[in-house]
Amino acid sequence: MTMTLLEIMRTSSVIPVIAIDEPEHAVPLARALVAGGIRVLEVTLRTKHGLEAIRAMSEVPGAIVGVGTLTRPEEFVAARDAGAVFGVSPGLTSALVAAAKSSGLPLLPGVMTPGEVMAARENGFQQLKLFPAVPAGGVGMLSAIYGPLPDVTFCPTGGISQETASQFLALKNVACVGGSWLTPKDAIAAGNWDRITELAKAASGLRS
Ligand SMILES: O=C(O)C(=O)C[C@H](O)[C@H](O)COP(=O)(O)O
């Protein structure tokens, strides 16, 4: 089953941004999130275990696994081959546009200004990540962008929490938000998967 980026974004109110420090954490973490109703998982390439984690988490029933922190064109094919079904980048360059098209990996590119939104749209991207969302202007920025550019849909990420997520999710041009608050490092290190499931349940309840 191939999902479009928009379908993936609409599957989850919150996309957890995940960094795996220990490969053995990948599968229990994915299971804990899916058990809490959070199925779309963004596994970043911030750690050296990213690709291995994508491979393992893709096997977890119900999980829809993407790759995050795509900053170099050569990472696209490797992530796709590891099982990622979408990719997220903090910004967009012409090399990343070409890599997204040639690899076929649906890309959610990061933007931070109206000009970047327009440049991304010219390259065929209408689903975008506002990054870093809160420093860029947060809810006010997204509402202002909706006026002249109503045909783009955002996944704001960066500085959002369980407490502020609903303000973003209420906007017409927001399909989901991204954040690292569902995967606290101390809970992962301690193997406290129940805590992660509770955080996921709270997040998936944001838009029910
Ligand atoms: O690694 C990446 O590719 C990123 O895009 C950065 C993350 O999206 C943010 O670091 C998450 O932000 P917080 O929820 O404020 O922790």
Side-chain angles (χ1 to χ4, degrees):
M1 178 189 60
T2 309
M3 293 175 86
T4 65
L5 207 42
L6 200 54
E7 286 167 345
I8 290 171
M9 291 165 81
R10 288 184 174 149
T11 298
S12 222
S13 47
V14 182
I15 299 182
V17 179
I18 299 167
I20 293 291
D21 291 316
E22 302 293 340
E24 62 269 25
H25 291 155
V27 166
L29 178 61
R31 286 197 182 123
L33 289 163
V34 171
I38 294 291
R39 296 177 53 210
V40 179
L41 315 178
E42 177 187 337
V43 181
T44 66
L45 299 181
R46 284 181 181 223
T47 72
K48 62 178 187 224
H49 305 298
L51 290 177
E52 186 185 348
I54 288 167
R55 221 170 277 121
M57 290 162 114
S58 298
E59 301 295 323
V60 171
I64 299 166
V65 181
V67 58
T69 331
L70 285 171
T71 59
R72 299 172 202 281
E74 61 271 21
E75 293 164 344
F76 281 68
V77 166
R80 183 201 65 194
D81 291 352
V85 296
F86 69 99
V88 187
S89 65
L92 191 57
T93 66
S94 49
L96 295 193
V97 171
K101 294 200 168 147
S102 65
S103 67
L105 187 69
L107 176 66
L108 182 71
V111 294
M112 208 187 122
T113 65
E116 289 175 8
V117 174
M118 291 159 68
R121 198 176 58 172
E122 282 171 13
N123 280 297
F125 299 94
Q126 278 186 269
Q127 288 85 43
L128 306 173
K129 161 177 171 168
L130 180 70
F131 178 75
V134 171
V139 167
M141 170 85 168
L142 287 158
S143 314
I145 287 178
Y146 183 74
L149 301 163
D151 58 339
V152 288
T153 306
F154 290 93
C155 175
T157 305
I160 301 177
S161 64
Q162 173 70 25
E163 289 68 37
T164 59
S166 55
Q167 298 163 27
F168 287 90
L169 292 168
L171 300 175
K172 287 196 202 69
N173 55 351
V174 169
C176 59
V177 303
S180 60
W181 81 86
L182 300 188
T183 54
K185 280 202 179 292
D186 59 338
I188 296 176
N192 191 348
W193 311 121
D194 289 346
R195 177 161 169 233
I196 305 243
T197 297
E198 287 312 311
L199 289 166
K201 278 187 186 158
S204 47
L206 280 167
R207 205 178 36 193
S208 53

